[in-house]
Amino acid sequence: MHQESRPKMLIPPWLILVKEKAAVVVITASILFLLYFASVPLSKALVKLGNNAFSAGNDFWGIAIYNLAGLFNGELKDFVDQCYRYNAQQQYELAISSCNKAIEIDSNYATAYSYRGYAYLRLRKYDQAIADFSTDIELIPVATRSYINRGAAYMEQNQNDLAVAEFTKSIEINSKEPQAWLNRGLAYFKNGQSDLAVADCSKAIDLGAKYYNEYMCLGLAFIDQQNYELAITNFNKAIDIAPNAMASTLYCFKGVAYAKNGDFESAIIALESGLKLDVANENGWCKTALDNAQKGIAP
């Protein structure tokens, strides 16, 4: 005789729901646990991958991967963003502090060195600036931003041959970057190579640069070549687009060009205009040029 078959006890619906909820909680907790403990190393891996993409010339993927790294490490992204903002606000010490924290989190984050180097450069702490730009280049060998800024640091210290080499390297990597051509032109001018200065600053304009610096560079180079009419023409172009803070210097340069050309009446007008705009009293040499022009003495 067979034992009577009995139906198995069904699991109550409420118990199924509890188990399902428990499973969801466990799975969610596991994912959060993994994300929490894996986010930092994952972010570091992505930063290295981004550096590789930039180094291979794939800026699109480099930026995308860096942004993804920021999603996994919000603290890193916040400090880098702060560093950028403080630089834009000319609060360079605060920028350095924020970049320091970003670098402590991930010493391979190249952009942080670029931003911190820029802050050091603006503070005229050239050794620190050059060190940071060099690290950026070690991480991303094609980082033209740091070749240009390292060249600027050399130029500000009158190491113009070193500056020219930096700008030339940037041009070799990306010949369509107008800033490198402009800066090399200015370095050539400071080295007394006005022909090369004219060629490079003209190239910057050809590449679409729309700042006053290119025309100022040409104006100075043409003065050096005693081509005063072209110098005045380019200073006028620079004045048309220059910020007010720079217009004073440009008017003074134009006045010098007029005086060297023997047109002392126009020189006096330009020099007086420059001095009126010199609210910070930074152009004492312009007052001397004006005194000389009023006496009919060329600079």
Side-chain angles (χ1 to χ4, degrees):
M1 188 173 68
H2 298 286
Q3 185 178 3
E4 183 179 353
S5 178
R6 296 182 180 178
K8 294 181 179 179
M9 182 69 70
L10 295 175
I11 300 175
W14 63 268
L15 185 56
I16 294 175
L17 187 59
V18 169
K19 287 186 176 182
E20 287 178 350
K21 286 185 177 181
V24 170
V25 170
V26 170
I27 292 170
T28 302
S30 299
I31 291 173
L32 291 175
F33 178 85
L34 289 172
L35 285 176
Y36 179 80
F37 286 99
S39 60
V40 172
L42 181 56
S43 171
K44 288 179 179 290
L46 287 169
V47 166
K48 289 183 179 180
L49 187 62
N51 289 344
N52 290 337
F54 282 123
S55 298
N58 296 323
D59 287 354
F60 174 83
W61 285 110
I63 293 169
I65 294 168
Y66 257 43
N67 287 338
L68 186 59
L71 291 177
F72 282 99
N73 194 331
E75 190 177 31
L76 173 64
K77 180 181 182 300
D78 288 344
F79 284 131
V80 173
D81 288 347
Q82 285 176 17
C83 186
Y84 175 83
R85 287 195 299 270
Y86 285 135
N87 271 335
Q89 296 165 7
Q90 300 182 14
Q91 300 184 61
Y92 301 120
E93 295 289 356
L94 290 175
I96 290 167
S97 177
S98 294
C99 274
N100 286 343
K101 293 173 183 176
I103 291 168
E104 288 173 6
I105 294 171
D106 191 341
S107 61
N108 289 306
Y109 201 96
T111 303
Y113 292 101
S114 173
Y115 289 169
R116 190 174 70 176
Y118 179 82
Y120 280 132
L121 178 60
R122 295 278 66 82
L123 292 172
R124 299 182 180 178
K125 296 182 178 181
Y126 300 118
D127 289 343
Q128 295 98 317
I130 290 169
D132 272 355
F133 297 139
S134 298
T135 301
D136 184 30
I137 290 168
E138 288 173 9
L139 293 169
I140 303 176
V142 296
T144 55
R145 62 193 178 192
S146 282
Y147 284 109
I148 291 171
N149 283 327
R150 194 164 66 178
Y154 286 132
M155 192 161 60
E156 288 188 17
Q157 299 176 88
N158 293 316
Q159 299 181 55
N160 298 312
D161 289 335
L162 289 175
V164 166
E166 296 293 330
F167 302 137
T168 299
K169 181 62 178 178
S170 175
I171 290 167
E172 289 172 353
I173 294 169
N174 179 10
S175 62
K176 295 182 179 180
E177 171 52 66
Q179 189 68 47
W181 291 97
L182 166 64
N183 284 16
R184 194 173 72 171
L186 290 169
Y188 279 138
F189 169 75
K190 292 183 70 176
N191 252 2
Q193 297 169 286
S194 58
D195 289 346
L196 294 174
V198 169
D200 275 8
C201 292
S202 297
K203 179 67 174 180
I205 293 171
D206 290 342
L207 288 171
K210 296 180 180 178
Y211 301 102
Y212 72 89
N213 310 65
E214 292 82 6
Y215 296 106
M216 181 184 73
C217 172
L218 288 174
L220 292 171
F222 284 131
I223 284 180
D224 198 49
Q225 294 178 356
Q226 299 181 15
N227 194 336
Y228 303 120
E229 293 296 334
L230 276 178
I232 292 164
T233 296
N234 279 281
F235 287 136
N236 283 333
K237 291 179 180 179
I239 289 168
D240 286 342
I241 56 179
N244 290 336
M246 193 61 202
S248 167
T249 301
L250 292 168
Y251 273 111
C252 291
F253 283 153
K254 185 170 76 167
V256 168
Y258 275 125
K260 283 181 174 289
N261 203 31
D263 184 352
F264 293 106
E265 183 178 351
S266 297
I268 291 169
I269 294 171
L271 292 166
E272 286 179 340
S273 297
L275 287 171
K276 286 179 182 178
L277 294 171
D278 186 21
V279 293
N281 295 316
E282 294 178 343
N283 292 326
W285 62 270
C286 191
K287 178 65 167 65
T288 301
L290 176 60
D291 290 341
N292 288 334
Q294 290 170 336
K295 298 173 184 175
I297 301 173

